[in-house]
Amino acid sequence: MQISLKWLNELINIDNINQHDLIEKLTLGGFEVEDIIETEIYGEPDTILDISATANRADSLSTYGLAKEISALLNEKITISKYTANNFKSVKTLDELVKTKETDNFENLSIFSAITIENLTNLSSPNWLKQKLISAGITPSNNLLDYQQYIILETGYPFEFYDLLK
């Protein structure tokens, strides 16, 4: 799993942490850093950590999941990504629906949410999205697939697009 330190720094402040110390903490926390890749993406330098995935820790197989681990290891606060759309009406409606559900057992609650996107004509992805995908070793293709990959990489949650005509 390739993780960009630049991307991680958006979620948890690691600017003031020595890279060697961060890698040592990750290793002691059970995350083996197999390689450190110094690269340049669209003219901006970035450091990519190639971290071996731990089979029993699926919660840490995303950028946000690893940021949560780092926050615990370093006793730092984690922040929400600036690209998170928590102001969408559908997200607020979904939150209200879950909160009003009369059940004590939320771990058995499943939700399928659908949002319709119409009249989409621009299929090119923004540069910030392309940078994140390239840093994770993924070649950008078009904005729908790129956003799908981004959501999976950032949160670890599966996300699918369906063609309404099919």
Side-chain angles (χ1 to χ4, degrees):
M1 174 171 74
Q2 293 183 357
I3 299 286
S4 162
L5 289 183
K6 192 175 191 178
W7 191 353
L8 273 174
N9 197 50
E10 291 177 10
L11 301 173
I12 181 168
N13 185 7
I14 56 172
D15 273 340
N16 300 328
I17 298 167
N18 180 298
Q19 182 176 312
H20 177 71
D21 293 342
L22 176 63
I23 291 169
E24 185 177 332
K25 293 260 188 193
L26 283 169
T27 302
L28 292 173
F31 301 94
E32 181 183 350
V33 178
E34 294 181 3
D35 198 7
I36 302 166
I37 305 162
E38 298 291 337
T39 188
E40 192 173 292
I41 302 170
Y42 293 125
E44 294 186 31
D46 198 358
T47 302
I48 312 295
L49 300 181
D50 188 3
I51 300 174
S52 61
T54 307
N56 65 337
R57 293 297 312 275
D59 61 312
S60 63
L61 295 177
S62 66
T63 306
Y64 186 75
L66 193 61
K68 283 176 36 179
E69 286 297 320
I70 293 171
S71 77
L73 292 169
L74 301 176
N75 199 23
E76 291 281 333
K77 285 184 97 174
I78 193 166
T79 61
I80 296 173
S81 173
K82 65 182 177 182
Y83 303 110
T84 300
N86 55 2
N87 292 323
F88 282 157
K89 181 181 176 184
S90 58
V91 173
K92 290 180 180 180
T93 303
L94 185 60
D95 283 346
E96 291 170 10
L97 176 69
V98 171
K99 288 176 185 172
T100 60
K101 198 77 169 150
E102 293 182 19
T103 180
D104 294 331
N105 194 358
F106 281 106
E107 56 194 51
N108 293 327
L109 183 65
S110 295
I111 296 175
F112 180 86
S113 176
I115 299 172
T116 304
I117 300 172
E118 297 175 340
N119 303 321
L120 185 64
T121 56
N122 182 3
L123 293 178
S124 62
S125 299
N127 282 340
W128 68 265
L129 179 58
K130 291 178 185 177
Q131 286 176 319
K132 290 184 184 308
L133 294 178
I134 290 169
S135 72
I138 297 172
T139 304
S141 57
N142 69 56
N143 63 358
L144 291 178
L145 293 176
D146 293 349
Y147 280 114
Q148 178 184 23
Q149 291 293 331
Y150 167 74
I151 290 168
I152 291 171
L153 289 170
E154 169 116 346
T155 66
Y157 294 119
F159 184 82
E160 293 295 330
F161 286 106
Y162 300 98
D163 188 340
L164 291 177
L165 299 177
K166 294 179 181 177

